[in-house]
Amino acid sequence: MKNSLKFKDLGADFFAHIQTQRLENPSLIHVNQNLKQELNLSITDQEFLEICSGDKQLGQERPISTVYAGHQFGYFVPQLGDGRSCLIGELEGNELSLKGAGTSPFSRGADGRAVLRSSIREYLCSIAMQGLNIPTTKALAIVTSSSEVYREHVESAAIVTRVAESHIRFGHFEYFSSLGQNENVKKLANFVIKYYMPDVKQGDYLGMLREVIQSTAIMIARWQAQGFSHGVMNTDNMSILGLTIDYGPFSFMEAYDPGFICNHSDTQGRYSFERQPSVALWNLHRLADTLKTLIEEEQLKEALSMYEKILVKEYSLLMRNKFGFAVQDESDNAIINNFLELLYTNKKDYHQSIRLLSNDDQSSLGKAFDPWFKDYRKRLKIETEDPSQRRALMNKVNPKYILRNYLAEVAIRSAEDQNEYAEIDSLFKLLRAPFAEYEGYESYDSETPEWAQNLELSCSS
Ligand code: AMP
Ligand code: MG
């Protein structure tokens, strides 16, 4: 099998070879078949299982774990690295990474494992983000096992196979910069430009930074428009390609609340929903700090000043699409903001409520929304598209199905308690194309039921 990891070209300072550690009785519980096909992985099911559980190498490739640093909750940690993940090879220009296949020199005393619960969440969210057109690492397969791991309780160990063009993070740059190894910073920048930024000329480090700023701003704009909270926006969880990476205590917002904090461990709300845009900018500043020997200070500043404009432009475009505004009008922002304000004061579900707009259904939102609907209908009169066309376009950006925590929890419980995986399959199907409506799945857009009101998510995974 032809297969070689470009990352290894960077040299021994950047990674360590590792040996994956086997799980007891591994079995596949779900496979992203389309992705498997895209990767041209024509091997037997048995071989596929062995590769995804770390029992067999991909071709001749020896797995590696990479070293990086990062600002965690604002504080610099000089060495983190792939403590429980490793790159196992490359197919069709995509790196394959196992998360949970055992320890590496960067495990810092932890067990190198991932629990089934968080692996299912990562697997489902990866497909949900793709469905919503939000850049993300992908997930190829999920393996469970009878190996036990210890978190707050004993849990099953699992492995998710992640797929991305590159898993390089801001933290990779920070690691070498903090050691004063500026030659390695330069080497890494050259590598990123050469392989991942076809539009940037070799040696154009400013061009590279601009690309990172651009793709990060677009990613964050889409998070904000689709109500996604990442939960742990440390610089080691920021992809150099602007992909959503490292799914932990993430949540999609339900009742609209800008101050929403999805991570129970984030007591200060550093990573609350409304702070995500400014945190990403802060993170970009930390990346820019590492490039000071390659880019003039003034140019760094100028590049960083582009961020807000790109983000606002993308966010406005998405929000205008969500409300069905194709024609520009100066009242648009006010109408959108007034609606969000009403959602907040009336504790209404973000996704369901906006989806209702396409059906012009104001009855289920209640009396408080009547004056707003009057303004909205008046505003829509200047639109030139016919209403049915407009609704169809709105329904392409307003999802019917969202990965609500309780839905993931139902799938997790049946997997953990009954070794039943049908629920994962159902969610996978709905979330990969969440704008369509599926017969027989009417209840999957329902709000959180009573029993799941107090589900808590933390960094434990
Ligand atoms: P995360 O919050 O999952 O992004 O992880 C932060 C850092 O801790 C990364 O360097 C991870 O590789 C490492 N880490 C998290 N959980 C484990 C674990 N169970 N074993 C080894 N390293 C871990
Ligand atoms: Mg991480």
Side-chain angles (χ1 to χ4, degrees), residues 68 169 236-237 246:
Y68 53 82
R169 301 143 190 272
D236 50 299
N237 291 340
D246 280 13

Side-chain angles (χ1 to χ4, degrees), residues 166-400:
S166 166
H167 293 76
I168 294 176
R169 301 143 190 272
F170 293 8
H172 282 95
F173 283 85
E174 290 178 280
Y175 175 76
F176 294 104
S177 166
S178 73
L179 293 173
Q181 294 181 12
N182 291 315
E183 275 310 302
N184 275 338
V185 173
K186 192 167 165 182
K187 200 172 183 181
L188 187 57
N190 287 335
F191 180 85
V192 167
I193 294 169
K194 179 172 173 190
Y195 290 114
Y196 308 115
M197 298 184 172
D199 298 335
V200 178
K201 287 205 187 75
Q202 249 331 300
D204 180 5
Y205 305 111
L206 180 61
M208 180 195 81
L209 178 64
R210 285 205 175 115
E211 285 252 339
V212 184
I213 291 167
Q214 163 92 21
S215 58
T216 304
I218 298 283
M219 172 186 78
I220 300 288
R222 295 190 188 176
W223 286 6
Q224 300 306 112
Q226 298 297 15
F228 176 78
S229 256
H230 181 283
V232 199
M233 288 178 69
N234 295 332
T235 55
D236 50 299
N237 291 340
M238 297 292 291
S239 144
I240 206 77
L241 303 185
L243 306 174
T244 313
I245 192 169
D246 280 13
Y247 292 95
F250 71 84
S251 275
F252 283 92
M253 196 155 62
E254 297 192 28
Y256 181 75
D257 174 8
F260 174 59
I261 304 164
C262 61
N263 180 357
H264 198 67
S265 321
D266 182 9
T267 46
Q268 306 291 313
R270 179 181 171 88
Y271 298 139
S272 71
F273 179 73
E274 67 190 340
R275 287 197 181 156
Q276 295 188 131
S278 60
V279 167
L281 179 59
W282 190 88
N283 290 344
L284 284 164
H285 274 269
R286 302 292 73 75
L287 175 67
D289 290 344
T290 73
L291 301 173
K292 281 190 169 148
T293 56
L294 299 174
I295 306 173
E296 302 276 337
E297 186 92 31
E298 270 313 301
Q299 292 183 313
L300 284 177
K301 270 199 205 140
E302 202 187 306
L304 289 162
S305 73
M306 298 170 6
Y307 169 82
E308 193 179 335
K309 273 191 220 108
I310 302 168
L311 190 149
V312 169
K313 189 170 166 209
E314 176 75 6
Y315 178 74
S316 310
L317 176 72
L318 285 168
M319 293 307 284
R320 296 173 53 76
N321 288 343
K322 278 174 148 319
F323 282 75
F325 297 161
V327 177
Q328 295 265 358
D329 188 76
E330 57 183 22
S331 71
D332 291 350
N333 279 349
I335 293 198
I336 293 173
N337 290 335
N338 290 344
F339 187 75
L340 296 179
E341 188 75 37
L342 278 167
L343 290 184
Y344 176 60
T345 43
N346 293 282
K347 297 191 168 53
K348 291 288 182 190
D349 188 86
Y350 181 65
H351 305 280
Q352 270 187 1
S353 306
I354 298 187
R355 179 96 180 180
L356 286 174
L357 298 181
S358 355
N359 306 329
D360 203 6
D361 175 5
Q362 84 184 75
S363 57
S364 28
L365 283 169
K367 281 246 163 293
F369 285 73
D370 288 354
W372 183 86
F373 266 97
K374 221 170 131 197
D375 291 344
Y376 181 57
R377 289 203 185 105
K378 202 166 128 208
R379 161 62 186 80
L380 286 178
K381 292 214 166 86
I382 64 166
E383 290 298 324
T384 49
E385 299 272 20
D386 76 81
S388 66
Q389 218 165 352
R390 184 178 66 241
R391 280 176 204 140
L393 288 172
M394 287 168 78
N395 281 350
K396 284 188 177 158
V397 276
N398 296 330
K400 172 82 173 162

Side-chain angles (χ1 to χ4, degrees), residues 68 72 80-84 107-108 110-113 151 237 246:
Y68 53 82
Q72 296 192 313
L80 293 161
D82 297 324
R84 56 170 165 176
S107 300
R108 297 176 299 142
D111 61 9
R113 294 299 187 195
R151 299 292 184 261
N237 291 340
D246 280 13

Side-chain angles (χ1 to χ4, degrees), residues 21 34 40 44 56 84 149 309 314 323 337 372 419:
Q21 292 134 43
N34 287 18
N40 245 327
T44 64
K56 189 179 158 117
R84 56 170 165 176
V149 281
K309 273 191 220 108
E314 176 75 6
F323 282 75
N337 290 335
W372 183 86
N419 301 326

